[in-house]
Amino acid sequence: MSDTTTLYQHGTLALLVPGLLDGTLTMQELLAHGDTGIGTGEGLDGELIILDGTPYQIDSQGHVNLVSADFTLPFANSHFADYGALMTVENATRADLQQQIMAETHSANTFFSLKITGTFTQMRTRAVQKSGRPYQSLAKTAEKQSVFSHDTVTGTLLSYYSPQLFDGAAVGGFHSHFLSQDHDFGGHILDFATVDGEVSWQQFDSLEQHLPTQNQAYMTHDFAQDDILGAINQAES
């Protein structure tokens, strides 16, 4: 029986900051730890979302692609889905939605995942263009991103919430990706205006943090020289 109380994370967001963008885990390996998740490919190759065991990549052209088993990632989250209903929302802004979720869950100091299925207005997403070696910093690489927008779109928002205590290892707060119902639009969510839909959630009591110890660039890098939180907050907003 699958463990539904553990969130698996490969890599950290901090390692992306100086440009440690080698793919150090395959999609096949990631799926061994969950049927649901988000991440990015080697060189920040697009934005990934895994739903019902199927991994999708939204690339910098806005195309939604199925991901092969040997696709490699520098950073990803996954877990085995066991969501429970939380609430129904109507015409909720993003800020109001997040406030309601925190008030309902009382879980600011632990990890949890959200899945929201519904109709969103003014949805804005992004995907980064894949870069190659020698890699530049996260800030430089993220400059080569494409931004996509949709006035009204129905689909699934998948988000992981991390406590502020873990900001740097992950994103303190919500880290959200989107895939449309028609599988023709998605990416890392920058913003949306409102949502009508069903909100479900799943809380974790354990974080399994996996590090790329076989990657020499990671093992020899001195993170003391990096503005980790500043770079992450800039890139994720």
Side-chain angles (χ1 to χ4, degrees):
M1 188 172 181
S2 300
D3 177 5
T4 60
T5 63
T6 297
L7 172 62
Y8 178 82
Q9 178 168 295
H10 172 69
T12 67
L13 279 179
L15 67 77
L16 303 182
V17 170
L20 301 175
L21 306 181
D22 286 333
T24 48
L25 188 80
T26 67
M27 179 56 69
Q28 182 176 6
E29 291 169 323
L30 180 64
L31 291 174
H33 299 276
D35 54 18
T36 304
I38 63 175
T40 188
E42 180 170 273
L44 297 187
D45 187 9
E47 304 288 345
L48 303 178
I49 183 169
I50 305 167
L51 296 171
D52 299 321
T54 302
Y56 304 90
Q57 176 211 43
I58 297 86
D59 65 23
S60 62
Q61 301 301 309
H63 302 137
V64 179
N65 310 304
L66 290 176
V67 177
S68 65
D70 59 357
F71 185 93
T72 60
L73 313 94
F75 174 82
N77 288 114
S78 69
H79 76 282
F80 289 103
D82 185 25
Y83 290 94
L86 183 64
M87 67 177 82
T88 299
V89 292
E90 293 183 6
N91 202 36
T93 67
R94 191 181 189 191
D96 287 344
L97 174 67
Q98 292 181 356
Q99 289 178 358
Q100 290 179 49
I101 288 167
M102 298 313 296
E104 286 289 328
T105 61
H106 305 287
S107 294
N109 292 328
T110 192
F111 291 85
F112 62 86
S113 178
L114 293 174
K115 187 166 74 170
I116 304 176
T117 54
T119 300
F120 299 78
T121 65
Q122 305 300 314
M123 173 67 81
R124 292 178 64 247
T125 65
R126 70 103 191 273
V128 177
Q129 178 181 335
K130 181 180 182 179
S131 65
R133 299 184 185 90
Y135 298 117
Q136 293 183 304
S137 68
L138 174 64
K140 284 289 185 183
T141 306
E143 288 176 0
K144 299 175 183 178
Q145 67 178 17
S146 301
V147 176
F148 313 110
S149 61
H150 217 304
D151 288 341
T152 304
V153 60
T154 298
T156 301
L157 176 155
L158 178 63
S159 183
Y160 289 98
Y161 173 88
S162 301
Q164 288 299 324
L165 176 65
F166 288 85
D167 202 10
V171 178
F174 294 96
H175 184 180
S176 307
H177 288 194
F178 182 78
L179 181 66
S180 69
Q181 181 175 278
D182 295 334
H183 293 179
D184 60 359
F185 173 83
H188 171 96
I189 295 177
L190 295 174
D191 200 10
F192 61 84
T194 63
V195 57
D196 295 340
E198 301 297 324
V199 181
S200 57
W201 82 304
Q202 182 175 348
Q203 183 171 275
F204 308 109
D205 59 23
S206 298
L207 171 68
E208 183 179 347
Q209 176 67 70
H210 182 257
L211 298 174
T213 56
Q214 302 305 306
N215 182 258
Q216 184 179 11
Y218 170 75
M219 294 298 289
T220 58
H221 183 76
D222 179 8
F223 286 93
Q225 64 187 318
D226 303 318
D227 177 17
I228 293 171
L229 298 185
I232 289 174
N233 291 333
Q234 179 182 351
E236 292 298 316
S237 61

